[in-house]
Amino acid sequence: MQGSSDSGGAGNTTPPEKVVSDTLTKEQKGSKMKIIIPIVVVIILVVGGIAAYMVLVKPSAKTSTAPGVSLAVSSTVAAGQSLSFKAITTGTVSNVTIYFGDGTSSTGTPTSGSYIANHTYNNVGNYLVEAVAKGSAGSASNLASLSTITVTPGTVNASVAAQSSEPLLITKGGISGQIFNVSQSISFELASNTLSGQLTAPNWTVGYYIINYGNGHSEALSAYFNTTSGAFDKNVTTYTYNAEGMYPVSLSVVTYNNTAYTGDIVNVKNSTGAVLYQYLPLSYMSKILSTPGEYQNLTAMKTLYIKTSNETVGILSPGKVINPGVINSAEVVPGGPYSFDPAIDYETVGMEVLANTYETLIAYNGSNAGQFVPTVATEVPTVANGGISSNYLNYTFTIRSGLKFSNGDPLTAFDVYVSMVRTLLFIGGSPGTAGWILAQDLLPYGGFGPNGLTNSYANITRAITYDNSTNTVTFHLLKVDPAFLDYLADPEGGSIMDYNWLAAHGANITFTPAGFQYYTTFANEVSYNTYVQTHIMGSGPYMVSTYITGESIVLVPNPYYTPIPGYPGYNKTPTEKVYIQWIKDPSVGLLMLESGQADIVTGLPPSDYPTVQKYEAAGKVTITQFPTLSVFFNYFNWNISQSIMKKLGSSYSVPQYYFANQYVRRAFADAYNYSEFVNYIVGNKVFGATFGFSYVGIIPKGMPGYVPPSQIQNAPSYNLAEATAMMYKSGQYNTTVNIPYIVPSGDTLDYAMGPVWATALAKVDPHITLSTIYLPFSEIIGYSVAGSNGLPLVSLGWAPDFPYPTDYVNAMYLQDGTYPAENGWSNTTLITAGHPSQAAEWTNMTNLILKGDNTGNATLAISYFDQAQQIAVNLTLYVYTQQENGFWFYSSYLHGAQYEQNPMLGGGGDTLYFYLTK
């Protein structure tokens, strides 16, 4: 796994691409020109808002004028875009050379004290840039304050992106991981942002890492697929440079179509014959690289400067901030978001992007859940200001004038109206959408009537009206609901879209009964408007610069964003870019945090907590802990699609209605070791912190209606004797099953718990085999289609949309809720499977929830919800694993994180980047 460095080190036979001695004599270089330059003065300038260090060299003789030089340049740019570099000179200067850090340079004569060069970086990465000025009185450079450039991904062809994997090149130590001493051993961490063995394109996978050390030496290594983690391991290699200078190091990740190579894969086995790793030998690389169309090769670069031990080399970094101008976020969510369509997307990864690029009528005010910022609206409506009618059934919003989308289109009341109409039209989408949240107050039966959906033309146009002349939109509720404003603050379902943009890309609506009915078909995965699914046109603080499906997104400030005075975060246009990478491996995220390559890392497992604490003690990282309303659980599919399940693996075998049997479900729940999971796998006792805690019933602690586990009757507990009794009672004892237990890629906790659960189940019934497998989160969502869902048992969770129990009981227990609908939870399934008594209990639970939904008495409503929750526990709808406490890991030079602790934003895991400054 560890590559060997060249035995002689770099520079023995081949000089670096750019060694400073090319410009200065070795004597000048080694002595820092002490003989002819006795005094060096450093001045900080601000050029066009960009800080720059100027090195002025005072001549030893009064008659000579020594040169000085500094650089003014933006700190970020997208690959493929031109960037302007301005070298500012003083003294007598005959020419200036700018070394761009990628092995290229530009030389010219300064005019009026400056030399301007434009350069385009072709590869993503982190570059150091040096300027050297020469004159008759000597030479000077900005070596003590090298400029840094972060190059983010540029436009990538969709088919290329599907066949490729982003390289991740990490160096540790030195100065910011880029400046090292001669003869110092440097560790290179080589990884790719591949979410699993397969890329998005069928049959494509990662083959090799090729690292070029920038001096003519290179090294190729096979990529090792770890069958246990379900991801490619990072490779580690070391290298030593023996000559000073600037070296453009590159890492290329070679991906290939493995159709012709399946028989050539090498399996590395342990002593029992189990396959630990798989790789394609290096001997096949030349054949792959000689076959056009059958491979892709993405490259990332990093400039290293190798200096002598007594040489002063540094990085221009205001306040010692690494990579100023760009906030780098690494999120351990392999596969990234499911959709960017606010009427479709209903998961936390996409929600983060929506919350930063779109606006809602009102938004949550920082960490103050229940307090709102009027964003698109001029004010938060109340009875006192006339925005809410005296009977609390009509909410009117006046739209702020002058708002624009990121393409310059004006935002109007009609755009708000159409956006909400789309949300209601898509309530029946599969996979499930967030439309039910608004529908519960606006449509008969909450949108899901006894005879089908109630999102008809007549019902929707009654529920929402608009007036362009007054620039207002009004919602007409069917019942009083004090949480209605919370619903509108949710970016999923509440985001305002540009209707002209929608229409230009085939998503226009025909405003007739038939037109509305036809439009509902686009709520289903097989009929999505894929352009709207993968593109964004909002009015929020950010806009999308580049998106590589499943791997990364670059957000840049929206030039048309209109700030909102008086509200921190919203009161300014952001200045930093945001580079989000959805990484596959927590260990890569940890390395990125340590090296400064990431400013924010989310999704690290508790086992990394002690390491991050050391970073905090060293002043590198800030750790913030806060409670959340996020819960995690395992859920059962009552109607398993056999053909879809076989796509996961031909060996899997589970009867169609196996989990429709409540005694089977209870046996699985009683075979789950809850304390083992929380204390030793989540790690509360191991690491001395409370990362999560056990709960029972879907209403979380901190939410009205929460019931402590000790007060829940018939709560499951780890009891193998009881589990065995339940399997006998189910009539399924001795039924041979091989169940794929689906865990989201990157979720190391539930993946580790899978074998523990499997061992317990085998003790309950030796005929039960539970096989834990990783699937990217976005793929799990894609598989979750009502009527054709082949995932028998899945580990996922729920983050709040609004702080009221209906967000949990309706979505998690009602037949048309998010999880029930996609997993066949219905009276029809229970009757078909031969469980009429269970169907009766299901009906009783449903009626209690509907009573709670339709009463105006909050106390009575919560009583109904708690009764329904007790029935749900009796039916063992879920195996409840943990309620999460939130931990955020931020670089110490990020400011504004105190506003981020809002439990309504992805359970606290999503980031509103416009609050942050660097």
mmCIF file with all atom_site columns, all heavy atoms in Angstrom, residues 482 704 804-805 852 855-865:
data_model
loop_
_atom_site.group_PDB
_atom_site.id
_atom_site.type_symbol
_atom_site.label_atom_id
_atom_site.label_alt_id
_atom_site.label_comp_id
_atom_site.label_asym_id
_atom_site.label_entity_id
_atom_site.label_seq_id
_atom_site.pdbx_PDB_ins_code
_atom_site.Cartn_x
_atom_site.Cartn_y
_atom_site.Cartn_z
_atom_site.occupancy
_atom_site.B_iso_or_equiv
_atom_site.pdbx_formal_charge
_atom_site.auth_seq_id
_atom_site.auth_comp_id
_atom_site.auth_asym_id
_atom_site.auth_atom_id
_atom_site.pdbx_PDB_model_num
ATOM 1   N N   . PRO A 1 482 ? -50.548 26.775 13.954 1.00 0.00 ? 482 PRO A N   1
ATOM 2   C CA  . PRO A 1 482 ? -49.534 27.747 14.396 1.00 0.00 ? 482 PRO A CA  1
ATOM 3   C C   . PRO A 1 482 ? -48.143 27.493 13.824 1.00 0.00 ? 482 PRO A C   1
ATOM 4   O O   . PRO A 1 482 ? -47.267 28.351 13.926 1.00 0.00 ? 482 PRO A O   1
ATOM 5   C CB  . PRO A 1 482 ? -49.543 27.587 15.921 1.00 0.00 ? 482 PRO A CB  1
ATOM 6   C CG  . PRO A 1 482 ? -50.121 26.239 16.173 1.00 0.00 ? 482 PRO A CG  1
ATOM 7   C CD  . PRO A 1 482 ? -51.091 25.992 15.068 1.00 0.00 ? 482 PRO A CD  1
ATOM 8   N N   . PRO A 1 704 ? -42.119 18.788 21.240 1.00 0.00 ? 704 PRO A N   1
ATOM 9   C CA  . PRO A 1 704 ? -43.363 18.577 21.991 1.00 0.00 ? 704 PRO A CA  1
ATOM 10  C C   . PRO A 1 704 ? -43.912 17.179 21.725 1.00 0.00 ? 704 PRO A C   1
ATOM 11  O O   . PRO A 1 704 ? -43.952 16.719 20.582 1.00 0.00 ? 704 PRO A O   1
ATOM 12  C CB  . PRO A 1 704 ? -44.298 19.651 21.438 1.00 0.00 ? 704 PRO A CB  1
ATOM 13  C CG  . PRO A 1 704 ? -43.390 20.723 20.938 1.00 0.00 ? 704 PRO A CG  1
ATOM 14  C CD  . PRO A 1 704 ? -42.180 20.015 20.413 1.00 0.00 ? 704 PRO A CD  1
ATOM 15  N N   . TYR A 1 804 ? -42.418 20.587 15.149 1.00 0.00 ? 804 TYR A N   1
ATOM 16  C CA  . TYR A 1 804 ? -43.722 20.149 15.649 1.00 0.00 ? 804 TYR A CA  1
ATOM 17  C C   . TYR A 1 804 ? -43.873 18.660 15.349 1.00 0.00 ? 804 TYR A C   1
ATOM 18  O O   . TYR A 1 804 ? -43.362 18.179 14.320 1.00 0.00 ? 804 TYR A O   1
ATOM 19  C CB  . TYR A 1 804 ? -44.855 20.954 14.999 1.00 0.00 ? 804 TYR A CB  1
ATOM 20  C CG  . TYR A 1 804 ? -46.189 20.805 15.683 1.00 0.00 ? 804 TYR A CG  1
ATOM 21  C CD1 . TYR A 1 804 ? -46.396 21.316 16.968 1.00 0.00 ? 804 TYR A CD1 1
ATOM 22  C CD2 . TYR A 1 804 ? -47.236 20.139 15.059 1.00 0.00 ? 804 TYR A CD2 1
ATOM 23  C CE1 . TYR A 1 804 ? -47.613 21.168 17.610 1.00 0.00 ? 804 TYR A CE1 1
ATOM 24  C CE2 . TYR A 1 804 ? -48.459 19.987 15.695 1.00 0.00 ? 804 TYR A CE2 1
ATOM 25  C CZ  . TYR A 1 804 ? -48.645 20.495 16.970 1.00 0.00 ? 804 TYR A CZ  1
ATOM 26  O OH  . TYR A 1 804 ? -49.856 20.338 17.609 1.00 0.00 ? 804 TYR A OH  1
ATOM 27  N N   . PRO A 1 805 ? -44.548 17.897 16.200 1.00 0.00 ? 805 PRO A N   1
ATOM 28  C CA  . PRO A 1 805 ? -44.571 16.429 16.048 1.00 0.00 ? 805 PRO A CA  1
ATOM 29  C C   . PRO A 1 805 ? -45.096 15.926 14.715 1.00 0.00 ? 805 PRO A C   1
ATOM 30  O O   . PRO A 1 805 ? -44.721 14.820 14.288 1.00 0.00 ? 805 PRO A O   1
ATOM 31  C CB  . PRO A 1 805 ? -45.473 15.970 17.199 1.00 0.00 ? 805 PRO A CB  1
ATOM 32  C CG  . PRO A 1 805 ? -45.404 17.053 18.204 1.00 0.00 ? 805 PRO A CG  1
ATOM 33  C CD  . PRO A 1 805 ? -45.234 18.326 17.436 1.00 0.00 ? 805 PRO A CD  1
ATOM 34  N N   . GLY A 1 852 ? -55.232 14.141 15.634 1.00 0.00 ? 852 GLY A N   1
ATOM 35  C CA  . GLY A 1 852 ? -54.268 15.133 16.090 1.00 0.00 ? 852 GLY A CA  1
ATOM 36  C C   . GLY A 1 852 ? -54.013 16.207 15.062 1.00 0.00 ? 852 GLY A C   1
ATOM 37  O O   . GLY A 1 852 ? -53.837 17.384 15.395 1.00 0.00 ? 852 GLY A O   1
ATOM 38  N N   . THR A 1 855 ? -57.266 18.773 15.028 1.00 0.00 ? 855 THR A N   1
ATOM 39  C CA  . THR A 1 855 ? -57.778 19.490 16.187 1.00 0.00 ? 855 THR A CA  1
ATOM 40  C C   . THR A 1 855 ? -56.998 20.781 16.371 1.00 0.00 ? 855 THR A C   1
ATOM 41  O O   . THR A 1 855 ? -55.805 20.842 16.088 1.00 0.00 ? 855 THR A O   1
ATOM 42  C CB  . THR A 1 855 ? -57.679 18.650 17.469 1.00 0.00 ? 855 THR A CB  1
ATOM 43  O OG1 . THR A 1 855 ? -58.211 19.401 18.559 1.00 0.00 ? 855 THR A OG1 1
ATOM 44  C CG2 . THR A 1 855 ? -56.231 18.293 17.797 1.00 0.00 ? 855 THR A CG2 1
ATOM 45  N N   . GLY A 1 856 ? -57.669 21.808 16.824 1.00 0.00 ? 856 GLY A N   1
ATOM 46  C CA  . GLY A 1 856 ? -57.007 23.080 17.100 1.00 0.00 ? 856 GLY A CA  1
ATOM 47  C C   . GLY A 1 856 ? -56.430 23.151 18.492 1.00 0.00 ? 856 GLY A C   1
ATOM 48  O O   . GLY A 1 856 ? -55.798 24.144 18.864 1.00 0.00 ? 856 GLY A O   1
ATOM 49  N N   . ASN A 1 857 ? -56.638 22.094 19.267 1.00 0.00 ? 857 ASN A N   1
ATOM 50  C CA  . ASN A 1 857 ? -56.149 22.051 20.643 1.00 0.00 ? 857 ASN A CA  1
ATOM 51  C C   . ASN A 1 857 ? -54.790 21.331 20.652 1.00 0.00 ? 857 ASN A C   1
ATOM 52  O O   . ASN A 1 857 ? -54.723 20.111 20.465 1.00 0.00 ? 857 ASN A O   1
ATOM 53  C CB  . ASN A 1 857 ? -57.167 21.312 21.523 1.00 0.00 ? 857 ASN A CB  1
ATOM 54  C CG  . ASN A 1 857 ? -56.779 21.320 22.981 1.00 0.00 ? 857 ASN A CG  1
ATOM 55  O OD1 . ASN A 1 857 ? -55.625 21.147 23.332 1.00 0.00 ? 857 ASN A OD1 1
ATOM 56  N ND2 . ASN A 1 857 ? -57.776 21.505 23.850 1.00 0.00 ? 857 ASN A ND2 1
ATOM 57  N N   . ALA A 1 858 ? -53.703 22.082 20.887 1.00 0.00 ? 858 ALA A N   1
ATOM 58  C CA  . ALA A 1 858 ? -52.367 21.516 20.802 1.00 0.00 ? 858 ALA A CA  1
ATOM 59  C C   . ALA A 1 858 ? -52.147 20.420 21.831 1.00 0.00 ? 858 ALA A C   1
ATOM 60  O O   . ALA A 1 858 ? -51.509 19.399 21.550 1.00 0.00 ? 858 ALA A O   1
ATOM 61  C CB  . ALA A 1 858 ? -51.320 22.618 20.968 1.00 0.00 ? 858 ALA A CB  1
ATOM 62  N N   . THR A 1 859 ? -52.686 20.614 23.032 1.00 0.00 ? 859 THR A N   1
ATOM 63  C CA  . THR A 1 859 ? -52.514 19.607 24.083 1.00 0.00 ? 859 THR A CA  1
ATOM 64  C C   . THR A 1 859 ? -53.198 18.304 23.699 1.00 0.00 ? 859 THR A C   1
ATOM 65  O O   . THR A 1 859 ? -52.636 17.209 23.866 1.00 0.00 ? 859 THR A O   1
ATOM 66  C CB  . THR A 1 859 ? -53.088 20.123 25.411 1.00 0.00 ? 859 THR A CB  1
ATOM 67  O OG1 . THR A 1 859 ? -52.426 21.350 25.758 1.00 0.00 ? 859 THR A OG1 1
ATOM 68  C CG2 . THR A 1 859 ? -52.894 19.102 26.518 1.00 0.00 ? 859 THR A CG2 1
ATOM 69  N N   . LEU A 1 860 ? -54.414 18.416 23.175 1.00 0.00 ? 860 LEU A N   1
ATOM 70  C CA  . LEU A 1 860 ? -55.137 17.222 22.750 1.00 0.00 ? 860 LEU A CA  1
ATOM 71  C C   . LEU A 1 860 ? -54.433 16.561 21.567 1.00 0.00 ? 860 LEU A C   1
ATOM 72  O O   . LEU A 1 860 ? -54.352 15.325 21.493 1.00 0.00 ? 860 LEU A O   1
ATOM 73  C CB  . LEU A 1 860 ? -56.580 17.599 22.373 1.00 0.00 ? 860 LEU A CB  1
ATOM 74  C CG  . LEU A 1 860 ? -57.511 16.444 21.989 1.00 0.00 ? 860 LEU A CG  1
ATOM 75  C CD1 . LEU A 1 860 ? -57.632 15.437 23.133 1.00 0.00 ? 860 LEU A CD1 1
ATOM 76  C CD2 . LEU A 1 860 ? -58.893 16.987 21.595 1.00 0.00 ? 860 LEU A CD2 1
ATOM 77  N N   . ALA A 1 861 ? -53.908 17.376 20.635 1.00 0.00 ? 861 ALA A N   1
ATOM 78  C CA  . ALA A 1 861 ? -53.211 16.836 19.467 1.00 0.00 ? 861 ALA A CA  1
ATOM 79  C C   . ALA A 1 861 ? -52.009 15.995 19.899 1.00 0.00 ? 861 ALA A C   1
ATOM 80  O O   . ALA A 1 861 ? -51.803 14.879 19.410 1.00 0.00 ? 861 ALA A O   1
ATOM 81  C CB  . ALA A 1 861 ? -52.760 17.965 18.548 1.00 0.00 ? 861 ALA A CB  1
ATOM 82  N N   . ILE A 1 862 ? -51.231 16.499 20.847 1.00 0.00 ? 862 ILE A N   1
ATOM 83  C CA  . ILE A 1 862 ? -50.054 15.769 21.299 1.00 0.00 ? 862 ILE A CA  1
ATOM 84  C C   . ILE A 1 862 ? -50.449 14.478 21.990 1.00 0.00 ? 862 ILE A C   1
ATOM 85  O O   . ILE A 1 862 ? -49.782 13.442 21.860 1.00 0.00 ? 862 ILE A O   1
ATOM 86  C CB  . ILE A 1 862 ? -49.205 16.669 22.218 1.00 0.00 ? 862 ILE A CB  1
ATOM 87  C CG1 . ILE A 1 862 ? -48.531 17.756 21.361 1.00 0.00 ? 862 ILE A CG1 1
ATOM 88  C CG2 . ILE A 1 862 ? -48.164 15.859 22.978 1.00 0.00 ? 862 ILE A CG2 1
ATOM 89  C CD1 . ILE A 1 862 ? -47.791 18.797 22.151 1.00 0.00 ? 862 ILE A CD1 1
ATOM 90  N N   . SER A 1 863 ? -51.589 14.488 22.707 1.00 0.00 ? 863 SER A N   1
ATOM 91  C CA  . SER A 1 863 ? -52.090 13.261 23.325 1.00 0.00 ? 863 SER A CA  1
ATOM 92  C C   . SER A 1 863 ? -52.395 12.206 22.267 1.00 0.00 ? 863 SER A C   1
ATOM 93  O O   . SER A 1 863 ? -52.049 11.026 22.429 1.00 0.00 ? 863 SER A O   1
ATOM 94  C CB  . SER A 1 863 ? -53.332 13.564 24.155 1.00 0.00 ? 863 SER A CB  1
ATOM 95  O OG  . SER A 1 863 ? -53.922 12.374 24.642 1.00 0.00 ? 863 SER A OG  1
ATOM 96  N N   . TYR A 1 864 ? -53.038 12.629 21.178 1.00 0.00 ? 864 TYR A N   1
ATOM 97  C CA  . TYR A 1 864 ? -53.335 11.693 20.081 1.00 0.00 ? 864 TYR A CA  1
ATOM 98  C C   . TYR A 1 864 ? -52.035 11.153 19.462 1.00 0.00 ? 864 TYR A C   1
ATOM 99  O O   . TYR A 1 864 ? -51.913 9.959  19.172 1.00 0.00 ? 864 TYR A O   1
ATOM 100 C CB  . TYR A 1 864 ? -54.162 12.390 18.998 1.00 0.00 ? 864 TYR A CB  1
ATOM 101 C CG  . TYR A 1 864 ? -55.603 12.650 19.378 1.00 0.00 ? 864 TYR A CG  1
ATOM 102 C CD1 . TYR A 1 864 ? -56.206 13.881 19.073 1.00 0.00 ? 864 TYR A CD1 1
ATOM 103 C CD2 . TYR A 1 864 ? -56.371 11.676 20.008 1.00 0.00 ? 864 TYR A CD2 1
ATOM 104 C CE1 . TYR A 1 864 ? -57.524 14.129 19.393 1.00 0.00 ? 864 TYR A CE1 1
ATOM 105 C CE2 . TYR A 1 864 ? -57.706 11.919 20.339 1.00 0.00 ? 864 TYR A CE2 1
ATOM 106 C CZ  . TYR A 1 864 ? -58.268 13.150 20.044 1.00 0.00 ? 864 TYR A CZ  1
ATOM 107 O OH  . TYR A 1 864 ? -59.582 13.393 20.368 1.00 0.00 ? 864 TYR A OH  1
ATOM 108 N N   . PHE A 1 865 ? -51.059 12.041 19.253 1.00 0.00 ? 865 PHE A N   1
ATOM 109 C CA  . PHE A 1 865 ? -49.800 11.618 18.637 1.00 0.00 ? 865 PHE A CA  1
ATOM 110 C C   . PHE A 1 865 ? -49.072 10.608 19.520 1.00 0.00 ? 865 PHE A C   1
ATOM 111 O O   . PHE A 1 865 ? -48.496 9.630  19.029 1.00 0.00 ? 865 PHE A O   1
ATOM 112 C CB  . PHE A 1 865 ? -48.895 12.830 18.370 1.00 0.00 ? 865 PHE A CB  1
ATOM 113 C CG  . PHE A 1 865 ? -49.450 13.804 17.380 1.00 0.00 ? 865 PHE A CG  1
ATOM 114 C CD1 . PHE A 1 865 ? -49.201 15.167 17.508 1.00 0.00 ? 865 PHE A CD1 1
ATOM 115 C CD2 . PHE A 1 865 ? -50.220 13.378 16.303 1.00 0.00 ? 865 PHE A CD2 1
ATOM 116 C CE1 . PHE A 1 865 ? -49.702 16.078 16.590 1.00 0.00 ? 865 PHE A CE1 1
ATOM 117 C CE2 . PHE A 1 865 ? -50.738 14.284 15.381 1.00 0.00 ? 865 PHE A CE2 1
ATOM 118 C CZ  . PHE A 1 865 ? -50.478 15.637 15.532 1.00 0.00 ? 865 PHE A CZ  1
#
